[in-house]
């Protein structure tokens, strides 16, 4: 439901769980999400009004379907600082570490020129990250969204 928001929050460095990581088809999914939020002292972000109501102060109903409006809403609540940090894997949420020369060299999708770039590595997904055009685009979108 909020997969894009999850990825953006991870790009911003926030420890973010997704309902997609739960077993599919669980009839207790909403209850489980509320238990996780309470037990881990997390906020539950949801587009489900009823679930947000049941979650009380731990839950936030996300009003818009548009990603920048979602980020603005969460930032306006004081829950995040909208800034790209590239410290977590956007896929699995694992903390990134500096990539080794070998990891950079063996990643087929790495840029040809590595000069002036800092590379990070997800040890779980074995994915290479760097601030390339995608990260720069995300950063620009955030700045444009918050400067108006």
């Amino acid at each position: 439901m909020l997969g894009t928001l999850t990825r953006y929050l991870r790009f911003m460095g926030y420890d973010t769980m997704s309902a997609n990581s739960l077993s599919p088809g669980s009839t207790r999914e909403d209850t489980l999400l509320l238990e996780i939020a309470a037990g881990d002292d997390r906020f539950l972000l949801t587009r489900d009004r009823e679930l947000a109501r049941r979650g009380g102060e731990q839950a936030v109903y996300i009003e818009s379907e548009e990603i920048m409006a979602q980020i603005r809403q969460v930032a306006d609540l004081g829950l995040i600082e909208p800034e790209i940090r590239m410290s977590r894997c956007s896929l699995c949420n694992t903390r990134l570490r500096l990539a080794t020369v070998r990891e950079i060299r063996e990643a087929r999708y790495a840029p040809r020129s590595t000069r002036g770039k800092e590379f990070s590595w997800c040890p779980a997904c074995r994915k290479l990250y760097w601030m390339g055009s995608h990260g720069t685009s995300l950063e620009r979108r955030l700045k444009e969204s918050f400067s108006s």
Side-chain angles (χ1 to χ4, degrees):
M1 191 178 303
L2 292 173
T4 302
L5 180 59
T6 298
R7 284 190 306 281
Y8 270 66
L9 290 171
R10 289 175 180 169
F11 279 126
M12 288 185 259
Y14 292 98
D15 179 7
T16 309
M17 271 187 74
S18 171
N20 291 340
S21 65
L22 301 176
S23 298
S26 172
T27 57
R28 293 192 58 242
E29 184 175 278
D30 287 358
T31 302
L32 186 57
L33 289 170
L34 293 170
E35 288 171 358
I36 291 169
D40 291 353
D41 197 28
R42 292 177 179 269
F43 283 94
L44 175 65
L45 307 178
T46 181
R47 293 267 307 132
D48 181 330
R49 283 186 197 274
E50 175 60 23
L51 180 57
R53 186 193 61 72
R54 286 178 51 206
E57 292 182 19
Q58 292 283 150
V60 175
Y61 173 70
I62 300 297
E63 297 168 8
S64 178
E65 291 183 22
E66 198 274 315
I67 184 61
M68 286 301 138
Q70 293 173 351
I71 292 170
R72 263 193 314 278
Q73 180 185 352
V74 177
D76 288 348
L77 292 170
L79 300 177
I80 63 166
E81 287 292 322
E83 174 184 316
I84 302 297
R85 291 181 187 84
M86 301 290 278
S87 59
R88 289 196 173 270
C89 178
S90 64
L91 302 175
C92 73
N93 195 46
T94 298
R95 279 195 184 278
L96 301 176
R97 63 163 172 75
L98 286 178
T100 66
V101 172
R102 181 179 180 179
E103 290 162 342
I104 297 167
R105 188 179 57 240
E106 291 179 356
R108 292 188 182 128
Y109 51 89
R112 292 183 198 269
S113 171
T114 59
R115 181 172 290 157
K117 293 179 177 67
E118 186 174 298
F119 293 88
S120 299
W121 182 257
C122 176
C125 292
R126 305 182 55 76
K127 180 172 168 50
L128 185 68
Y129 287 88
W130 68 95
M131 195 62 150
S133 60
H134 183 64
T136 303
S137 173
L138 293 176
E139 213 168 41
R140 187 186 76 251
R141 287 185 69 200
L142 285 173
K143 284 179 183 168
E144 287 172 357
S145 181
F146 283 87
S147 65
S148 49

